[in-house]
């Protein structure tokens, strides 16, 4: 799936639009926000030092599927892997209407903050596509997430 950057038609001549078509970039589907903004702070002040914050968005770096709530730490390993020329897809098989439910946790670059949500009980498979040879925070770069 591709995500294209918005173009303001009033500020760009019509002919230039033809050259802007490559401004599309791979993006994870709506299962995880592409970026999050966080406000981190020191738990305890350090004498002689002033704490600061970069105030920048943190990009999606990883995804973990869980059997039950993430707090229970029952993370799942993918069931299958399909390698293409430039991408690899990891596939998780899910049992529809599982009693514990399945959860998705989204991990972000340069922060310990993550977001999680329970997946729809009717889902039977989730697929995460990674771009081979590229990484973010030491994890393979995610280009798409789909569940059915």
């Amino acid at each position: 799936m591709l995500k294209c950057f918005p173009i303001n038609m009033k500020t760009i001549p019509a002919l230039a639009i033809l050259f802007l078509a490559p401004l599309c970039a791979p993006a994870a589907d709506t299962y995880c926000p592409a970026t999050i903004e966080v406000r981190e702070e020191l738990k305890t002040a350090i004498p002689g030092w002033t704490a600061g914050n970069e105030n920048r968005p943190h990009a999606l770096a990883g995804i973990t599927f869980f059997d039950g709530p993430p707090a229970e730490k029952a993370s799942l390993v993918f069931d299958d892997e399909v390698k293409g020329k430039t991408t690899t897809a990891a596939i998780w098989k899910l049992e529809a209407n599982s009693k514990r439910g399945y959860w998705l946790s989204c991990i972000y670059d340069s922060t310990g903050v993550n977001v999680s949500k329970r997946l729809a009980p009717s889902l039977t498979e989730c697929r995460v596509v990674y771009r081979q040879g590229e990484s973010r925070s030491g994890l393979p770069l995610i280009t798409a997430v789909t569940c059915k």
Side-chain angles (χ1 to χ4, degrees):
M1 171 169 277
L2 292 179
K3 179 178 183 182
C4 299
F5 299 98
I7 298 172
N8 184 341
M9 299 298 285
K10 293 179 182 177
T11 60
I12 299 176
L15 191 54
I17 298 298
L18 296 174
F19 299 103
L20 292 175
L23 287 179
C24 295
D29 290 342
T30 58
Y31 284 95
C32 286
T35 61
I36 60 170
E37 293 185 27
V38 301
R39 185 175 64 191
E40 296 176 301
E41 56 187 52
L42 289 174
K43 189 172 184 177
T44 306
I46 302 171
W49 293 87
T50 301
N53 225 318
E54 292 184 26
N55 293 325
R56 64 177 174 84
H58 298 270
L60 179 66
I63 290 177
T64 304
F65 292 95
F66 290 92
D67 179 10
E72 295 177 6
K73 309 276 188 213
S75 63
L76 300 172
V77 176
F78 60 86
D79 295 293
D80 197 10
E81 186 177 55
V82 178
K83 291 190 177 201
K85 288 184 179 183
T86 60
T87 61
T88 298
I91 301 162
W92 284 260
K93 302 287 185 183
L94 309 174
E95 181 184 323
N97 302 308
S98 162
K99 289 181 183 179
R100 292 176 41 79
Y102 295 104
W103 289 69
L104 168 68
S105 185
C106 309
I107 302 157
Y108 292 87
D109 183 42
S110 302
T111 182
V113 176
N114 62 59
V115 296
S116 302
K117 72 175 180 179
R118 188 174 182 156
L119 295 171
S122 60
L123 295 177
T124 58
E125 178 182 293
C126 286
R127 177 182 297 248
V128 179
V129 179
Y130 303 95
R131 187 175 304 142
Q132 292 176 7
E134 293 186 48
S135 64
R136 178 173 285 137
S137 293
L139 299 169
L141 185 66
I142 298 168
T143 61
V145 180
T146 56
C147 293
K148 59 180 183 177

